[in-house]
Amino acid sequence: MSMGHCSEQRPGFEVTKDWNGADQVAIRSPRGASVRVCLHGGQVVSWRNDRGEELLFTSSKAIFKPPRATRGGIPICFPQFGNCGTLEQHGFARNKIWTIDQEAPPLNYGDNNNNKASVDLLLKPSEDDLKCWPHCFELRLRVSLSMDGDLSLISRVRNVNGKPFSFAFAYHTHLSVSDISEVRIEGLETLDYLDNLSQRERFTEQGDAITFESEVDRVYVGSPGVIAVLDHEKKRTFIVRKEGLPDIVVWNPWEKKSKTMVDFGDDEYKQMLCVDAAAVERAITLKPGEEWTGKLELSAVPSTNCSDHLDHPGRL
């Protein structure tokens, strides 16, 4: 599906224009799954399965005009998450224009594009960025789509500065769900979490699974490498796998807060859930020349099959 009249074919992906004239990259698997990535923000804005069903939530009131970040998809939060710092909310990476990286260095992972269609993106700081955050970095993002339609994002942050720096990072993943009251998360039981609705006070999760009946804004710390988001009504489960990202942020604004957000519909909280692979409780520090890697892989499977994924987490 092309979002504009102009397109350019490249190996494994196609570059198109969205309705604002911004470049987007479309990736398709042979079986029909697809991903669209906007170069504004390096943001995945669509992930569809081989039946054409959209798996990510984007608000009907989202503002698609730079410099505002789009409400939905998977914004990249770097070098700050939320308002925990001196920068704009969630940092500046989601509001910058990224470039297609034609000469991305190879990954240390075993999945260097085997049986995957992918695109490599790159963000370097502008002079304005260096004024508000005076650290030279290279932020690389590889977005890949497997033959089975699984979506993976691998980010690498390299310190090309003369001194150490620290940062937070999150894949702010907006999942599309049928009805938030019919959704539960498994894999975070008994973990400690920081409750952003209680001044980041630390609590321990007591439930057998996380369910939703009011606003939730939590950072689950020291979380496992695999969790599951079960959508009872759609009989679909999202499997979230991660590496290098110790935390999981769970967010749903519920009714009252939804009505205060100009780029979010009053009732849209029912159709979305943010489950973010993140490193936010403790900042990541890189010495000069060092590189950090964080990986997210998302799968959408029939709910009857999901227990196999939780029992065998080592597939990442």
Side-chain angles (χ1 to χ4, degrees), residues 282-315:
R282 292 194 182 98
I284 297 158
T285 300
L286 292 179
K287 295 174 185 174
E290 283 188 334
E291 184 175 88
W292 165 87
T293 302
K295 178 172 180 179
L296 167 68
E297 184 179 280
L298 298 172
S299 309
V301 300
S303 290
T304 50
N305 300 341
C306 72
S307 60
D308 291 344
H309 295 263
L310 285 173
D311 292 341
H312 301 92
R315 212 193 76 176

Side-chain angles (χ1 to χ4, degrees), residues 7 36 48 104 148 156 167 172 189 195 235 315:
S7 67
R36 282 190 292 115
R48 292 179 182 268
D148 293 332
R156 292 179 282 175
F167 63 93
H172 194 16
E189 306 82 44
D195 193 339
K235 297 181 172 57
R315 212 193 76 176

Side-chain angles (χ1 to χ4, degrees), residues 22-90:
D23 283 341
Q24 284 193 353
V25 177
I27 307 173
R28 292 176 182 82
S29 78
R31 295 174 186 167
S34 67
V35 171
R36 282 190 292 115
V37 191
C38 189
L39 293 193
H40 172 64
Q43 182 169 339
V44 174
V45 293
S46 173
W47 171 38
R48 292 179 182 268
N49 61 19
D50 54 13
R51 293 181 297 282
E53 297 168 332
E54 180 58 63
L55 302 172
L56 298 176
F57 168 86
T58 298
S59 172
S60 63
K61 293 190 172 183
I63 298 166
F64 292 92
K65 206 166 181 78
R68 184 151 193 142
T70 301
R71 176 78 66 183
I74 310 179
I76 302 290
C77 301
F78 171 90
Q80 176 179 304
F81 184 78
N83 293 313
C84 300
T86 59
L87 303 174
E88 61 200 85
Q89 168 132 332
H90 293 326

Side-chain angles (χ1 to χ4, degrees), residues 215-260:
E215 182 183 356
V216 173
D217 188 355
R218 300 173 180 172
V219 180
Y220 286 85
V221 300
S223 56
V226 184
I227 68 164
V229 182
L230 292 83
D231 188 333
H232 178 71
E233 194 171 306
K234 283 190 176 171
K235 297 181 172 57
R236 180 168 69 203
T237 297
F238 291 103
I239 306 297
V240 180
R241 296 181 176 84
K242 61 187 179 66
E243 279 186 19
L245 296 157
D247 308 321
I248 286 282
V249 180
V250 178
W251 179 69
N252 182 286
W254 217 254
E255 187 173 10
K256 186 177 178 182
K257 183 165 282 185
S258 295
K259 291 179 178 177
T260 70

